[in-house]
Amino acid sequence: ERKLERERHIQQLVQSEATYCTRLEQFIRFFTEPLSHHLSSQHHYILFGDLNEIYAQNVQFSIVLEQRYKHYDADQSVFSDAISNFFQSNVQILYQNYVNRYEEALKLLQTLQGDSKFLKFLDETHAQMLKEHQQHQQQQPNAASYVDTTSALNTLRQLLVLPIHRVAQYARALQAIVDTTRSVHVDNVALRDCLRNIQSVQQLIDDKMQEFAERETVRKIALAVKGNSAQALRLETPYRRFIK
């Protein structure tokens, strides 16, 4: 029973990685590539960073996982080397840089909502996404939706945070695999090393996102201050954080 549970968790990792790559491809196709013709190179990098490189690395990881799973053996299959080879320092830096840029990306997105050309692009993109989504649903009625039907802006917001959430998903998936791997399994020790490595990166990301959430709370408080715009501006400073 434990072997079956372990295989199920590995299968979930393989499938979720394929789904993640599909969503990254849609992100790039609908937003990153078209907006390279609408935005300055600086604004484009603020919004999307090294998303193309993240996608390329994850596609290779997905291929390796699927190949390993095709020849899965409960007692002999090893996944730790595939995970460690993927999650090396260069990929860690890609994800950490993406997180470090996220707050600035949201601020730029807010500014771009005042740009009529950008809004027109979003409307046209939304129509294209809905059309593709409807065709996809006809072919696979039970498939999960990747499109926010209300607006392309909401879909873009959801896609922007996708790589940030993925690291935490890796940690949870690997924890489940480790918990169902017997201590005598050939991959046990190496899997635990992989888990510690991913958890350390996840902690850095969590700390960064917590700082962002605290600054966002201060910003909302500042905006709520009535009748004293100068005071509101003084509230919202880079060093000021919200303490519960």
Side-chain angles (χ1 to χ4, degrees):
E1 182 179 346
R2 190 175 183 181
K3 288 183 178 181
L4 290 175
E5 189 176 1
R6 180 177 188 270
E7 182 178 359
R8 179 172 62 83
H9 289 310
I10 291 173
Q11 182 184 43
Q12 288 174 346
L13 172 61
V14 174
Q15 292 175 342
S16 67
E17 186 65 17
T19 299
Y20 175 58
C21 288
T22 297
R23 294 202 70 190
L24 286 181
E25 185 275 330
Q26 292 158 349
F27 189 5
I28 291 170
R29 177 160 51 90
F30 281 113
F31 293 101
T32 307
E33 289 180 352
L35 282 172
S36 65
H37 305 295
H38 292 266
L39 301 176
S40 67
S41 57
Q42 180 184 8
H43 281 178
H44 190 271
Y45 185 76
I46 289 172
L47 269 185
F48 305 114
D50 297 311
L51 188 65
N52 285 323
E53 181 60 24
I54 289 175
Y55 173 65
Q57 294 288 341
N58 278 91
V59 165
Q60 290 302 312
F61 181 46
S62 182
I63 291 171
V64 172
L65 286 178
E66 289 181 356
Q67 290 174 341
R68 294 289 178 91
Y69 188 67
K70 283 181 181 178
H71 306 285
Y72 180 78
D73 179 275
D75 297 314
Q76 297 299 324
S77 289
V78 172
F79 284 85
S80 59
D81 60 331
I83 297 170
S84 62
N85 286 339
F86 162 68
F87 213 68
Q88 293 185 28
S89 59
N90 62 320
V91 170
Q92 294 179 31
I93 290 171
L94 284 173
Y95 274 88
Q96 289 180 55
N97 285 344
Y98 189 92
V99 174
N100 291 339
R101 202 202 68 264
Y102 179 68
E103 183 176 1
E104 191 177 2
L106 290 187
K107 289 180 179 178
L108 175 58
L109 188 59
Q110 182 69 30
T111 301
L112 288 172
Q113 291 177 55
D115 184 332
S116 60
K117 291 183 179 179
F118 181 74
L119 294 178
K120 181 182 179 182
F121 165 81
L122 289 181
D123 287 340
E124 293 172 348
T125 299
H126 191 226
Q128 294 172 9
M129 296 183 80
L130 285 177
K131 182 179 180 180
E132 181 175 296
H133 170 66
Q134 290 166 357
Q135 293 172 345
H136 185 67
Q137 289 294 101
Q138 289 175 356
Q139 297 170 357
Q140 300 181 28
N142 297 323
S145 172
Y146 65 88
V147 180
D148 187 307
T149 55
T150 60
S151 73
L153 182 61
N154 287 337
T155 298
L156 177 54
R157 288 196 184 103
Q158 293 169 12
L159 290 172
L160 279 171
V161 80
L162 197 64
I164 298 172
H165 288 164
R166 188 58 185 160
V167 177
Q169 291 167 359
Y170 285 139
R172 290 193 296 269
L174 197 51
Q175 182 69 68
I177 294 171
V178 165
D179 290 344
T180 52
T181 299
R182 293 179 299 124
S183 59
V184 295
H185 194 283
V186 64
D187 210 21
N188 179 57
V189 174
L191 278 174
R192 292 179 183 276
D193 288 341
C194 288
L195 177 59
R196 284 191 290 270
N197 186 28
I198 290 175
Q199 286 175 331
S200 66
V201 176
Q202 181 199 352
Q203 187 60 57
L204 293 173
I205 291 175
D206 286 348
D207 290 346
K208 189 70 178 180
M209 293 302 289
Q210 180 62 32
E211 290 176 8
F212 165 63
E214 290 170 354
R215 284 193 294 271
E216 184 67 7
T217 299
V218 172
R219 186 187 70 83
K220 289 179 180 178
I221 293 173
L223 291 175
V225 174
K226 297 179 180 180
N228 193 337
S229 59
Q231 182 181 354
L233 288 171
R234 286 196 299 273
L235 273 172
E236 189 181 2
T237 57
Y239 58 82
R240 181 165 278 122
R241 298 169 63 184
F242 179 71
I243 306 298
K244 295 182 180 179

